[in-house]
Structures are given as C-alpha cells and as structure tokens.
Amino acid sequence: MPKQPYAREPDNPTKSCKAKGTSLRVHFKNTRETAKAISGFNLKKAQKFLEDVIQQKQAVPFRRFSGGVGRCAQGNAQGHPQARWPKKSAEVLLDLLTNASSNASVKELDLDKLFIKHIQVNEAPKQRRRTYRAHGRINPYMSSPCHIELFLSERQQAVKRAEPEQKQEEERRPKKVSKKKLAKERRISQARSQARK
C-alpha cells in the first residue's frame, strides 16, 4: 500500500515535528473527541491531560458524537456536560505524542515551547468479524479503526503592537477619497450654498 501523505504540512518545517498512526485499533468517534480536546494544547499540558483521562481525574467532552453520552461534573470543567473517559484512545494519543516528542528531540527543538498545531483523526477501513444470532443467523460485528496524524510546532515570539505615536501619525494622514465621493460632496455643498441665497 502506498504511503499516505499528511493532510497538512507545517508552516515552518524546521521548527515542527510530525507523528502518524494508520489503521489503529481504537474507536474513531472516541479518538476524534479526545484529539479535539487536546488540539492547541502545550505538549506537557496535553500529556498531563491524557494521563488524567486514563486515571479518570479529567473527562473528555463529547461535542459531536454525543448521542447517548451521559453527563458528569468533570465535563463542566471543559464547558460541556456530556463527557467520558476513553482510556484506549487516550493511551494511543499519548503514545503518538511521545513519538512526536522523540522526533522533536532528534531535531533539537525546545520541548517546552512545543504545542499541538495540527491533529486530525480519519476513519480507516472497517475490520470485519461476525456475531451469531438466534435461528442460525449471522450478523456483522465490525470494528471502527482510525488514522491519526499530528504535528507539533514551536510557539513563535509574540510581536509587540505599534507604539501610540505611530498610530497618531497614521491618523494625521489624509484619508483617500474616491472621485465619486468628492463629486457628491461638491454637489451637496453647492446645493447648500444655493439654498442659503
């Protein structure tokens, strides 16, 4: 099977590192919600969050695939009451983050500055088993594996805002006015001057 490309490439490849897993035997829906919960997190914060999910200290909010998901108090901390603790998904994502951080240390990136810039979970082809039903029938018993890809990037230094003096200079500059608007203003001023006479 040919190697699948990443859905996105980092803006600055020298300051980023990637990790990927294909046809992983974890439920797509649970993994998608877990990945969405850690998107944009700092690397250390994401690892701590996933470890807490495994120990049921923090819950993953289920926002999209929320049918039949119960409510819990830990979900309110994430801003959504429907939440669960998808242990297997958290373990797989934790392994991928460990892989990505190893790739980062090989590229000599600063691990404290890394954050999850891009994370994506896609459905993989279903794997087939069977379950036996009454009256000699057989029904499918499918698994829902997934592909996961992510990359970590170093946070860039924040650029300072322009000084107030520069803003005042910009405000002093005359605004550009279109010819149409100038003509309209002339007509209005002429009409006013004629009305005064």
Side-chain angles (χ1 to χ4, degrees):
M1 196 164 98
K3 194 174 179 183
Q4 293 295 320
Y6 282 78
R8 272 181 64 189
E9 288 300 321
D11 299 331
N12 189 356
T14 57
K15 295 289 183 182
S16 303
C17 59
K18 300 190 279 190
K20 186 179 188 178
T22 54
S23 296
L24 300 171
R25 195 71 180 270
V26 280
H27 287 298
F28 162 71
K29 291 181 180 182
N30 293 350
T31 310
R32 185 263 171 201
E33 296 292 356
T34 312
K36 185 72 177 164
I38 63 169
S39 180
F41 277 21
N42 187 14
L43 174 63
K44 302 287 185 208
K45 185 181 176 185
Q47 288 174 329
K48 177 77 172 73
F49 176 77
L50 293 172
E51 286 165 5
D52 286 350
V53 168
I54 292 166
Q55 296 169 1
Q56 295 197 358
K57 291 180 180 175
Q58 289 192 61
V60 174
F62 275 59
R63 291 184 159 88
R64 177 175 293 174
F65 302 111
S66 58
V69 177
R71 295 172 292 182
C72 68
Q74 287 181 1
N76 289 330
Q78 303 291 335
H80 197 78
Q82 290 178 292
R84 280 182 176 168
W85 301 269
K87 183 180 177 185
K88 196 172 178 184
S89 297
E91 286 169 350
V92 167
L93 284 169
L94 197 55
D95 289 344
L96 268 176
L97 285 177
T98 306
N99 187 353
S101 64
S102 299
N103 295 343
S105 57
V106 167
K107 289 178 95 172
E108 297 177 358
L109 300 176
D110 187 1
L111 295 179
D112 295 329
K113 289 183 179 177
L114 289 176
F115 74 104
I116 300 170
K117 176 81 172 175
H118 165 74
I119 186 163
Q120 180 173 312
V121 181
N122 293 330
E123 286 185 81
K126 289 188 179 343
Q127 295 169 352
R128 182 175 288 275
R129 287 185 291 168
R130 56 170 59 177
T131 184
Y132 300 93
R133 307 307 297 266
H135 311 297
R137 289 176 301 127
I138 289 172
N139 277 5
Y141 205 69
M142 314 287 271
S143 68
S144 301
C146 61
H147 307 308
I148 308 170
E149 65 179 55
L150 61 93
F151 58 78
L152 308 174
S153 295
E154 279 190 2
R155 277 203 199 277
Q156 301 298 322
Q157 291 289 336
V159 179
K160 289 185 178 179
R161 285 189 173 186
E163 296 296 322
E165 297 169 9
Q166 292 175 349
K167 286 183 182 177
Q168 288 173 356
E169 288 174 16
E170 289 171 6
E171 288 171 5
R172 285 182 208 145
R173 291 181 194 155
K175 283 188 176 180
K176 289 187 177 179
V177 184
S178 68
K179 290 180 181 178
K180 194 173 185 180
K181 195 167 186 179
L182 282 170
K184 188 178 180 181
E185 286 174 2
R186 271 194 228 109
R187 282 196 306 264
I188 291 169
S189 62
Q190 287 173 359
R192 285 182 185 162
S193 62
Q194 288 176 358
R196 288 178 193 161
K197 291 179 184 177

